[in-house]
Amino acid sequence: MSLKIVKLVLLTIVVGTTTNCTKPNHELTGIVQNGLNGEIVAGVSITLEGANLTILTNNQGAFSLKIPTSNETGNFSNNMDSKTVLVATKSGYQQLEYQVSSRTTGMVLNILPEPLVFQASDYTGDYIPLTSRLTNDVVWEDIIDGVRLFYEKRIDFLKPKRERYWNRDLSSSKAYVASIEANRNNFRSILGAVDERAPVAMERLNKAGETDRYIVHEARWPVLKEVIPGPALQDWPELDVPGQIFGEGLLVEPKGASRGYVIAIPDADQYPEDLIGMGTGINNDSQFARRLAENGFTVIIPVVIDHWSRGTNRPSRTWIYSQSHEMGRTVGGYEVQKMEAIVDWFTAQGNTNTQIGIAGYGEGGLLAFYTAVLDTRVDAAMVSGYFAPRENIWKEPIYRNLWGILMEFGDAELGSLIAPRSLVVEYSQVPVYTWPRNEDPVEDYLEIEPPG
């Protein structure tokens, strides 16, 4: 009897750039690495089935297949579709097959070594292949520390490899925006901001205030398309779950013609009224929504999901994160879509020359940053209290966790997705959150939230 020992790894193939094939030859490029340790693999045979094209990876693990638009098989490049297969083979490694199209390039292929084969006679009471005898006492805290150190080192290992996901074209602004579109789409997927938005609307509710320059209304707007649940498959009690997600906040409109449109986003522990001078939480110098309104801009100040803890030290943002991340969604993703719904309304109000800006502080800075990254209709962004290296994101509140983001993006890389539009980063003190937020005594709280 023989036994195969296989190390289980995540096999990933990343499409780094997606463009239309406009050149006489379509260039299919990429690198090949060991799926177990990330090391480059030279001498891998890369074959495009049906085109009679084969090339070996070089010493840097890179390959480049130039596919002519016309050859013996016809217009092969133009006929490539999702069923066209790229095959990677090398002795000692498992064969890898991957479907490509005429828009695929800049790939990172992970190939796995062949599993080792051992005979039953190789195993004895004192020896197991590829292992060493454990002679010291097991200390579980040390094991946990070892896991932590492994991933910390993995983060440091991945940072210099981010450039393999980018293929920036600096020849012109238009070419640059096109060359980073795949990266923008990757970030949208990571953030989970992928749901279908509702039709554009803005409902003015109660009048909240007025000056000689502007009027303030409470406002509400639909964000995501209404979901109508199907009948329950079991005898479940009826749940009070909203069928549609709305945004809420303050709409501040000038009494004259609007000079432009701005979303002003408070921190999670601030109220919209604070930014316009109707509350007491922010001093006059920091009421940037009021200053914009006084200068003739239409401003919307959205409500941001708060940090209220409600009987535990777990804030509302983490409560929503714990449910949404299992569905590929995030707190930031939901709130960014709330901002994009506002941009939808701004666009509908103006004309082709409509100027749209976004500004935020703390968690609001994060949302302003992410919204400007994803929505190219935003002309300018101001980020305050949020912009830093993200390699220690595991020390931040868990609701900021984004699966796989550090492989391709840090804040600097995300900032490059805003270019050539304007980004202003204000150096300021980062908000400090302290709990509890409601009136219960601290000793009555259940501590379930990890430090962050």
Side-chain angles (χ1 to χ4, degrees):
M1 180 184 71
S2 64
L3 177 66
K4 288 188 175 182
I5 297 180
V6 180
K7 292 185 179 180
L8 181 63
V9 298
L10 179 63
L11 178 61
T12 59
I13 302 175
V14 182
V15 179
T17 306
T18 302
T19 57
N20 291 324
C21 181
T22 58
K23 299 179 181 180
N25 294 322
H26 174 59
E27 191 170 9
L28 191 63
T29 62
I31 64 172
V32 180
Q33 62 184 22
N34 187 318
L36 294 180
N37 55 26
E39 294 180 353
I40 61 172
V41 183
V44 179
S45 176
I46 305 295
T47 301
L48 189 65
E49 290 189 347
N52 195 28
L53 293 173
T54 300
I55 195 171
L56 295 178
T57 58
N58 62 20
N59 291 335
Q60 285 74 45
F63 66 89
S64 176
L65 278 174
K66 292 186 177 180
I67 307 167
T69 56
S70 179
N71 60 14
E72 295 81 359
T73 61
N75 294 327
F76 187 84
S77 178
N78 295 332
N79 294 329
M80 289 175 64
D81 56 26
S82 60
K83 296 181 181 180
T84 304
V85 175
L86 187 75
V87 181
T89 57
K90 181 179 173 65
S91 176
Y93 289 84
Q94 301 177 48
Q95 179 173 294
L96 172 66
E97 296 183 0
Y98 181 61
Q99 293 180 344
V100 296
S101 72
S102 59
R103 299 185 303 274
T104 305
T105 190
M107 297 181 294
V108 178
L109 306 180
N110 288 279
I111 61 175
L112 297 176
E114 291 283 359
L116 299 175
V117 179
F118 296 97
Q119 302 299 321
S121 58
D122 293 330
Y123 298 87
T124 70
D126 296 323
Y127 173 73
I128 298 177
L130 303 180
T131 68
S132 59
R133 194 180 185 91
L134 185 64
T135 57
N136 59 310
D137 295 333
V138 175
V139 180
W140 291 111
E141 290 80 3
D142 292 344
I143 294 177
I144 298 300
D145 282 343
V147 173
R148 175 180 57 81
L149 290 171
F150 171 83
Y151 283 106
E152 286 182 28
K153 292 179 180 179
R154 184 67 177 168
I155 291 173
D156 293 337
F157 172 79
L158 289 173
K159 183 176 180 179
K161 296 182 179 294
R162 285 180 191 157
E163 280 304 311
R164 64 189 178 183
Y165 295 99
W166 297 80
N167 186 25
R168 297 180 179 90
D169 186 342
L170 304 179
S171 60
S172 68
S173 295
K174 184 177 181 180
Y176 178 79
V177 171
S179 70
I180 61 174
E181 189 61 25
N183 302 94
R184 195 189 320 278
N185 292 336
N186 289 345
F187 179 64
R188 181 177 289 278
S189 178
I190 290 172
L191 194 60
V194 295
D195 297 295
E196 183 178 354
R197 289 201 296 278
V200 179
M202 182 64 64
E203 183 180 2
R204 294 170 178 82
L205 304 175
N206 299 326
K207 181 178 176 180
E210 183 176 2
T211 71
D212 58 341
R213 300 184 185 182
Y214 56 82
I215 301 175
V216 183
H217 282 93
E218 296 176 352
R220 189 175 86 146
W221 59 96
V223 178
L224 302 183
K225 184 178 179 181
E226 183 177 6
V227 176
I228 301 176
L233 300 179
Q234 302 181 39
D235 186 19
W236 290 99
E238 185 174 350
L239 300 177
D240 183 19
V241 178
Q244 188 169 10
I245 294 179
F246 288 85
E248 296 180 339
L250 297 179
L251 170 61
V252 187
E253 296 177 288
K255 290 187 174 180
S258 178
R259 295 179 59 189
Y261 300 84
V262 181
I263 306 174
I265 314 176
D267 183 38
D269 283 344
Q270 297 173 340
Y271 297 103
E273 290 80 3
D274 295 338
L275 294 191
I276 197 67
M278 298 170 59
T280 59
I282 300 178
N283 61 50
N284 289 342
D285 292 339
S286 298
Q287 295 169 9
F288 58 94
R290 175 180 58 81
R291 295 193 173 206
L292 288 163
E294 290 174 347
N295 281 276
F297 289 88
T298 300
V299 184
I300 290 183
I301 316 169
V303 175
V304 177
I305 300 171
D306 59 41
H307 277 139
W308 283 82
S309 46
R310 297 175 177 86
T312 72
N313 69 332
R314 166 173 283 189
S316 299
R317 300 182 72 81
T318 299
W319 173 249
I320 294 175
Y321 164 82
S322 64
Q323 302 168 74
S324 62
H325 84 280
E326 296 185 8
M327 305 300 294
R329 305 297 190 271
T330 66
V331 178
Y334 281 129
E335 298 210 282
V336 163
Q337 289 175 107
K338 185 163 62 181
M339 308 307 156
E340 290 188 295
I342 299 175
V343 176
D344 291 341
W345 185 75
F346 282 166
T347 303
Q349 304 313 298
N351 51 45
T352 56
N353 295 321
T354 298
Q355 296 294 299
I356 298 175
I358 191 166
Y361 171 68
E363 291 298 326
L366 179 154
L367 298 178
F369 187 39
Y370 285 0
T371 303
V373 166
L374 292 179
D375 200 321
T376 57
R377 296 173 297 177
V378 174
D379 298 293
M382 193 279 286
V383 178
S384 179
Y386 182 87
F387 193 94
R390 294 267 85 87
E391 280 64 47
N392 285 326
I393 194 171
W394 55 274
K395 293 182 180 179
E396 299 181 37
I398 195 171
Y399 52 77
R400 288 185 177 179
N401 180 51
L402 296 175
W403 182 258
I405 187 173
L406 294 181
M407 294 181 65
E408 187 172 352
F409 303 104
D411 281 3
E413 286 81 7
L414 289 174
S416 74
L417 292 175
I418 297 178
R421 294 169 291 138
S422 296
L423 169 63
V424 176
V425 177
E426 181 189 46
Y427 180 79
S428 61
Q429 182 178 353
V430 176
V432 176
Y433 164 69
T434 57
W435 65 275
R437 275 290 305 272
N438 42 15
E439 302 302 324
D440 297 336
V442 174
E443 58 267 19
D444 292 342
Y445 275 72
L446 179 63
E447 295 190 38
I448 60 176
E449 180 75 359

